[in-house]
Amino acid sequence: MKEVLTLAVQKRQTVGTRASRRERAEGRVPAIIYGHKQDPQPVTVAHDALDAALRHHTRMLDLKLGRSTERVLLSDVQYGTFGTEVIHADFVRVAMDEVIRVDVPVVLHGHAAGEQHGGVTEQLLTEVAVECLPGDIPEEIRVVITALELGQSLHVGDLEAPEGVKVISDPSHLVLTIAAPTKAIEPEAEVAPEAAEAEPELIARGAEEPEGGEAKTEDEDAKG
């Protein structure tokens, strides 16, 4: 098991929007520790320390509060409007001998053989739920896709998890597919403006009739 990072936290004396803004202005992130049937504990953690843990994709931490230390999992992180600044974090207490459920990212490695024939790798599921001991939490579920041909797919049931890790997501869910290339739609032929504006040609035109009756001959006109 990798060495667990320790972060120092401080108790929050006051809570609320105004207090949280003040803490962030001082370079600290409001957070909460909960779980194991203990009362939730509002705390703050240095922004730089938490940001470093996030950059290294650290999930399990030791939080040092005064003289006590608690083993926790970073269960949720909230970001600001622009998605770059951490504004809140949730930590859940864990025991190293208890199986827990966590979501783990599914990461594709390599290029599918079907891509050489114009196929496109479409990943439909980016993470799966697993059960394991806290010390066995994998950073990712690794999927090597180099052998996949055009039209082939991979489901959750096909994933290979590390030893001690059980994937509990629905095995029928589709993880990825090597899709056939989309056929380009040919543009319709343009109609020349002259042709578009021309009136339909008459095959035959009958004699025009005056209003109110049939056309008269010259003899009939003379008699009249």
Side-chain angles (χ1 to χ4, degrees):
M1 185 179 67
K2 295 190 304 183
E3 183 179 356
V4 179
L5 179 67
T6 300
L7 295 183
V9 297
Q10 298 176 1
K11 285 185 179 180
R12 296 179 66 186
Q13 302 301 326
T14 56
V15 295
T17 302
R18 183 175 298 179
S20 296
R21 288 175 179 170
R22 183 171 59 251
E23 289 155 355
R24 295 187 193 107
E26 295 173 354
R28 302 192 65 81
V29 178
I32 191 164
I33 308 171
Y34 64 94
H36 265 212
K37 298 181 180 180
Q38 299 181 43
D39 293 335
Q41 175 62 65
V43 297
T44 65
V45 58
H47 181 276
D48 291 345
L50 180 58
D51 189 57
L54 292 172
R55 287 199 307 271
H56 290 84
H57 306 287
T58 303
R59 299 287 297 275
M60 188 161 54
L61 299 160
D62 282 338
L63 297 186
K64 184 174 178 57
L65 179 60
R67 295 183 178 181
S68 64
T69 300
E70 290 189 290
R71 180 66 51 89
V72 301
L73 284 178
L74 180 57
S75 64
D76 187 54
V77 177
Q78 298 176 28
Y79 291 88
T81 304
F82 299 103
T84 56
E85 181 185 4
V86 180
I87 61 173
H88 194 274
D90 289 358
F91 300 101
V92 58
R93 302 179 180 96
V94 297
M96 296 306 292
D97 58 350
E98 291 181 0
V99 173
I100 60 174
R101 173 178 176 168
V102 294
D103 292 331
V104 177
V106 176
V107 180
L108 309 185
H109 291 266
H111 296 281
E115 293 181 3
Q116 299 179 4
H117 305 289
V120 178
T121 300
E122 297 181 353
Q123 185 173 2
L124 307 175
L125 197 65
T126 58
E127 62 181 19
V128 291
V130 305
E131 286 183 348
C132 60
L133 294 172
D136 293 332
I137 299 174
E139 291 185 1
E140 64 182 44
I141 299 295
R142 180 185 176 92
V143 182
V144 179
I145 65 173
T146 52
L148 294 179
E149 298 287 351
L150 189 65
Q152 289 188 316
S153 300
L154 195 71
H155 295 78
V156 170
D158 301 319
L159 299 178
E160 296 183 4
E163 184 177 356
V165 178
K166 179 182 178 181
V167 179
I168 59 175
S169 293
D170 189 334
S172 67
H173 284 174
L174 191 62
V175 176
L176 65 93
T177 184
I178 311 302
T182 303
K183 184 178 179 180
I185 301 176
E186 296 182 0
E188 296 183 2
E190 295 185 0
V191 179
E194 296 81 358
E197 296 175 1
E199 294 183 358
E201 180 181 357
L202 294 178
I203 301 302
R205 183 185 296 273
E208 294 185 357
E209 298 179 358
E211 293 183 2
E214 297 180 352
K216 295 183 179 181
T217 65
E218 293 182 1
D219 292 341
E220 291 176 335
D221 287 338
K223 293 179 181 179

